[in-house]
Amino acid sequence: MMPRRGRRIVTASSIPVLKRHVRLQYDPVRQAWALLSPEKVFWPDEISLDILRLCDGKHSVRQILDHLASVYEAPPEEIAEDVEGFLQEWSDRSLVTL
């Protein structure tokens, strides 16, 4: 029996980083950014890409929220649920470490 990986929960102090096997790469043919993982390719939209670019191991979720709030002129508390949900989903997919 394989041990089960514990689920990490996103908090404001979490510092997300892309997993070692995941990378963002620009595809000049499609003129779009792709998130590459072994045997999988994801095509993030503009906002998802903005979040993923900040998953560098240097920015906390709170800092990511503050940055996105200023870029998109939205109160951080209004976008917090969506950003945290996005990061939780990508963490659950083993693409982002919290």
Side-chain angles (χ1 to χ4, degrees):
M1 201 152 98
M2 299 274 299
R4 233 177 117 176
R5 179 175 78 90
R7 183 177 191 227
R8 309 255 350 237
I9 304 298
V10 175
T11 66
S13 61
S14 298
I15 300 176
V17 63
L18 296 179
K19 294 262 190 165
R20 284 187 316 174
H21 65 273
V22 176
R23 73 178 191 273
L24 281 169
Q25 181 173 311
Y26 186 74
D27 181 343
V29 174
R30 290 189 174 91
Q31 296 185 355
W33 283 91
L35 185 78
L36 306 176
S37 178
E39 300 183 23
K40 294 180 185 175
V41 177
F42 300 92
W43 300 98
D45 62 22
E46 180 182 341
I47 296 171
S48 298
L49 185 58
D50 285 346
I51 296 169
L52 292 169
R53 284 183 174 142
L54 293 169
C55 292
D56 57 6
K58 298 175 185 172
H59 295 89
S60 69
V61 171
R62 167 67 22 213
Q63 290 170 319
I64 291 171
L65 285 169
D66 290 341
H67 175 78
L68 293 173
S70 69
V71 169
Y72 291 100
E73 299 177 2
E77 56 277 359
E78 275 188 27
I79 63 171
E81 185 177 335
D82 291 334
V83 172
E84 290 171 0
F86 173 87
L87 290 169
Q88 187 66 60
E89 179 182 341
W90 288 69
S91 172
D92 292 346
R93 290 181 177 185
S94 292
L95 298 167
V96 172
T97 298
L98 301 174

